[in-house]
């Protein structure tokens, strides 16, 4: 395959001052994209802390001969998300790619989690992904092209202790990704999600220092670049990625059983078959899943 280039393309990357987002922004810029680098700054994505803001990434891109713009709007607010996209359009005249990467953590056991902890995480991850995507979606439709790369997590896909807020937000992003892929299909708007495992400012307390070399953001970035490129055929998909390993993650339905007049006792008697995993099907949308059921019970 020839080198994947983004000459003439404009990319918006949220949460891009450090870690994964920074790596995405730098690589997209190195391949010719004009990049809007969005970040509030702060270690956990807040407005305070020792971490640098997006200006440092912009300086690096420009120092390497690229084109970039810093943005510090809060993507968890409608005004912030709209201003981010409008600013990109005002500066560059178009947006072709959005990488929804901004995120924070407020980990606590469910018993101890406050409503504020819940709302903060849902706000940045799920609401922020929705708001930025919605702000740009009309532009994508009008121009007949767009690429959105969302960020889910193994915590959302498979669960994790102490992260009920984060897991709920991240699984919500999977549903949003699949719905947007369906709505964007006829406009050449592809929407996919990644579930990254990486050593970053948000996860450095979870991994030993030795993991930094094996799980660096640069091990995730190639997949994001591929999903953001016009040649990538995928849409509505989720991929696990980390340390150089990439795998498709999918929601499947087992063969099930048909019990037209089932009692609770019948369900208990057939429980092993109800829980069978193979042969499974992977419906592409609600209609396909519904048709599978109708074919068996009608």
């Amino acid at each position: 395959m020839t080198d994947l280039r983004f000459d003439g393309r404009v990319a918006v990357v949220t949460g891009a001052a450090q870690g994964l987002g920074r790596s995405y922004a730098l690589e997209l810029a190195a391949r010719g994209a004009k990049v809007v680098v969005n970040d509030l700054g702060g270690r956990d994505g807040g407005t305070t802390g020792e971490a640098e803001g997006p200006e440092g990434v912009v300086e690096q891109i420009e120092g390497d001969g690229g084109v970039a713009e810093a943005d510090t709007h809060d993507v968890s607010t409608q005004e912030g998300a709209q201003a981010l996209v409008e600013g990109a359009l005002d500066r560059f005249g178009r947006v072709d790619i959005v990488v929804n990467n901004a995120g924070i953590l407020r980990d606590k056991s469910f018993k101890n989690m406050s409503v504020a902890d819940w709302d903060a995480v849902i706000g940045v991850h799920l609401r922020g992904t929705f708001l930025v995507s919605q702000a740009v979606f009309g532009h994508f439709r009008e121009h007949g092209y767009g690429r959105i790369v969302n960020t889910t997590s193994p915590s959302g896909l498979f669960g994790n202790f102490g992260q009920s807020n984060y897991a709920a937000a991240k699984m919500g992003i999977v549903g949003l990704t699949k719905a947007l892929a369906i709505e964007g299909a006829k406009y050449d708007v592809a929407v996919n999600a990644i579930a990254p495992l990486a050593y970053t400012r948000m996860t450095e307390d979870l991994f030993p220092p030795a993991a930094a070399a094996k799980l660096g953001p640069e091990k995730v970035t190639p997949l994001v670049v591929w999903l953001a490129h016009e040649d990538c055929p995928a849409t509505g998909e989720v991929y696990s990625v980390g340390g150089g390993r990439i795998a498709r993650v999918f929601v499947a339905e087992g063969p099930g059983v048909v019990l037209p007049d089932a009692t609770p006792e019948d369900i208990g008697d057939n429980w092993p078959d109800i829980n069978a995993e193979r042969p499974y099907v992977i419906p592409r949308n609600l209609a396909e899943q519904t048709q599978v059921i109708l074919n068996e019970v009608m």
Side-chain angles (χ1 to χ4, degrees), residues 1-51:
M1 178 177 286
T2 57
D3 290 347
L4 299 178
R5 297 289 303 175
F6 293 87
D7 301 298
R9 299 295 192 190
V10 177
V12 172
V13 183
T14 70
Q18 295 192 55
L20 288 167
R22 176 180 180 275
S23 183
Y24 305 157
L26 292 174
E27 186 63 22
L28 287 167
R31 291 173 178 268
K34 300 177 177 67
V35 182
V36 178
V37 182
N38 164 266
D39 204 296
L40 286 173
R43 183 178 186 277
D44 66 350
T47 56
T48 61
E50 72 280 5

Side-chain angles (χ1 to χ4, degrees), residues 151-231:
T151 308
T152 182
S153 169
S155 294
L157 296 168
F158 308 114
N160 192 35
F161 183 89
Q163 290 194 315
S164 57
N165 50 1
Y166 185 71
K170 288 306 193 182
M171 198 58 180
I173 288 171
V174 172
L176 177 61
T177 296
K178 292 185 174 295
L180 288 185
I182 294 168
E183 293 196 23
K186 70 177 181 179
Y187 304 101
D188 194 14
V189 177
V191 189
N192 294 286
I194 64 164
L197 186 66
Y199 188 95
T200 69
R201 62 177 180 174
M202 286 209 313
T203 63
E204 62 186 5
D205 296 334
L206 305 177
F207 298 118
K214 296 292 186 180
L215 297 176
E218 68 278 2
K219 302 291 187 180
V220 175
T221 299
L223 176 60
V224 172
V225 170
W226 169 239
L227 293 174
H229 197 268
E230 61 192 58
D231 289 351

